[in-house]
Amino acid sequence: MTFQIGSVLLDACVLAILAKEDTYGYRLTQQIKETLGVSESTLYPVLRRLQKEELLETYDVAVMGRNRRYYRLTDEGLEKNKEYKREWVYFSRKITTILEGGNLND
Amino acid sequence: MTRQIYLHRLKEALEGLPREEQESAMRYCEEYFDEAGEDQFEQAVHDLGSPEEFAKGIRSSYNSRINADQQESKKWPWPLILCLALVASPIWVPLAIVLVILVIIFGFLLFLPFMVILLLLFLFFGLAGSLLVTAVRMIFVSWASAGLALGGMLICTALFLVCLCGLIALVKKVWPWAKGKVQEGVEWIQERRNQA
């Protein structure tokens, strides 16, 4: 991965993945690890923080004789996801413009 | 490293954090190993990092979260402060009045010597000046009166100079003392601020 991913962008990615469907820690991190190259040790604190900020919540599902902890977005989390998506469109457009040598004021 | 050893070391590394934080992290880790399965265990350990590294990330994230919470709770809303000030006014209004009166009295006492000396300075200066004028006018009328006025003027000038010396001595004495007190006060405030 050439570009470093900041904590806000990581939050946005986690929220976006969970907006699509509820998922559990291992699977979530596998998805994020593949695309973003972020290590697992940084992902757990992110999940924990988002949970504490009440953007996501957990529930347990019994699977093969043990509990699997699923994460899902709260209403607040959904709202935040929308906000991040809007911001990203704006931000990425500006970056693309710069990278392609365009003028930001156009 | 076996799973038991990893979890044991993680538990030790998490010590000192709230129980809920510890349990959540332990549970997450256990589940991660469960999902990875035995054949992927090495990869899972590689993903998570050493137990100490994993705990370090949790710890720093927890600390910054707590700091953010504390800073938020430090911000008191203005309406609440106003309400409290109103409710407590029977206590602090009389106190404030007494304090203001004390400051005025203290200031008055501090400046009293200055004021007396300044008054004497003006008095002797004025007397010397008017006696000089009198002496000049009396020269053509009466030598004796002119001499008397001149003598009085010299006495007043001498007293004026004595008062001037006294004022300078007083200022020299009081100035470093006042400066020291002000500096002490400033340092005290800075110390309090640093402690806070």
Side-chain angles (χ1 to χ4, degrees):
Chain A
M1 199 56 190
T2 315
F3 301 110
Q4 289 280 317
I5 188 162
S7 75
V8 179
L9 205 46
L10 192 54
D11 285 8
C13 289
V14 169
L15 293 182
I17 289 171
L18 288 171
K20 219 163 60 179
E21 57 173 341
D22 298 357
T23 187
Y24 52 96
Y26 186 76
R27 188 141 164 259
L28 179 70
T29 55
Q30 293 300 318
Q31 278 175 295
I32 288 191
K33 208 173 64 179
E34 276 164 28
T35 29
L36 303 177
V38 179
S39 80
E40 170 59 28
S41 54
T42 57
L43 268 172
Y44 169 72
V46 169
L47 285 172
R48 184 74 182 151
R49 193 186 66 238
L50 292 174
Q51 192 187 337
K52 283 285 164 189
E53 286 170 3
E54 291 172 359
L55 297 177
L56 47 94
E57 57 193 6
T58 60
Y59 60 94
D60 292 348
V61 175
V63 177
M64 292 181 290
R66 57 184 174 77
N67 276 333
R68 190 181 264 171
R69 183 157 283 182
Y70 274 80
Y71 294 85
R72 76 167 153 234
L73 291 189
T74 60
D75 289 346
E76 244 177 288
L78 275 169
E79 204 46 53
K80 196 82 182 170
N81 175 46
K82 279 184 203 155
E83 189 189 315
Y84 277 144
K85 271 156 98 174
R86 272 200 305 273
E87 284 288 319
W88 176 253
V89 170
Y90 175 69
F91 179 72
S92 61
R93 197 176 288 155
K94 274 168 90 176
I95 296 290
T96 310
T97 310
I98 293 176
L99 288 181
E100 290 175 354
N103 196 335
L104 283 177
N105 297 323
D106 287 348
Chain B
M1 185 164 26
T2 67
R3 181 190 160 118
Q4 267 83 13
I5 289 176
Y6 190 98
L7 291 174
H8 181 74
R9 268 171 58 185
L10 180 62
K11 203 181 167 90
E12 275 182 352
L14 288 173
E15 231 151 71
L17 285 169
R19 179 171 286 272
E20 195 211 340
E21 289 294 323
Q22 292 186 31
E23 275 168 8
S24 167
M26 291 297 290
R27 152 121 209 219
Y28 184 86
C29 226
E30 278 174 53
E31 196 183 306
Y32 199 84
F33 289 144
D34 283 339
E35 296 294 343
E38 260 168 51
D39 42 328
Q40 291 283 316
F41 178 73
E42 290 301 323
Q43 179 61 39
V45 170
H46 178 78
D47 289 348
L48 294 172
S50 73
E52 290 74 24
E53 271 167 18
F54 189 65
K56 205 174 141 193
I58 294 168
R59 213 174 270 279
S60 72
S61 164
Y62 173 77
N63 285 339
S64 57
R65 214 163 62 217
I66 291 299
N67 282 341
D69 282 355
Q70 274 177 349
Q71 260 169 12
E72 214 156 273
S73 65
K74 259 185 196 167
K75 280 186 218 146
W76 280 36
W78 274 108
L80 183 65
I81 292 174
L82 268 174
C83 280
L84 280 177
L86 268 178
V87 170
S89 60
I91 299 169
W92 64 260
V93 166
L95 270 179
I97 290 171
V98 168
L99 202 72
V100 166
I101 291 172
L102 277 178
V103 165
I104 289 171
I105 291 174
F106 184 73
F108 184 74
L109 282 177
L110 197 70
F111 283 103
L112 196 62
F114 284 99
M115 287 196 280
V116 169
I117 287 187
L118 276 176
L119 204 71
L120 285 174
L121 268 177
F122 278 112
L123 184 72
F124 289 131
F125 185 78
L127 270 175
S130 59
L131 280 170
L132 183 65
V133 172
T134 312
V136 169
R137 274 166 56 188
M138 279 295 169
I139 284 177
F140 306 105
V141 183
S142 150
W143 278 98
S145 301
L148 189 69
L150 202 67
M153 186 213 78
L154 285 175
I155 291 172
C156 283
T157 308
L159 286 173
F160 172 78
L161 287 175
V162 167
C163 284
L164 197 64
C165 287
L167 184 69
I168 290 169
L170 195 67
V171 167
K172 266 189 180 165
K173 233 182 188 171
V174 169
W175 181 243
W177 177 80
K179 219 165 111 179
K181 281 285 161 203
V182 168
Q183 214 156 15
E184 259 176 46
V186 169
E187 275 166 15
W188 184 76
I189 289 168
Q190 272 175 349
E191 225 168 82
R192 290 293 295 261
R193 198 173 285 173
N194 286 344
Q195 276 174 0

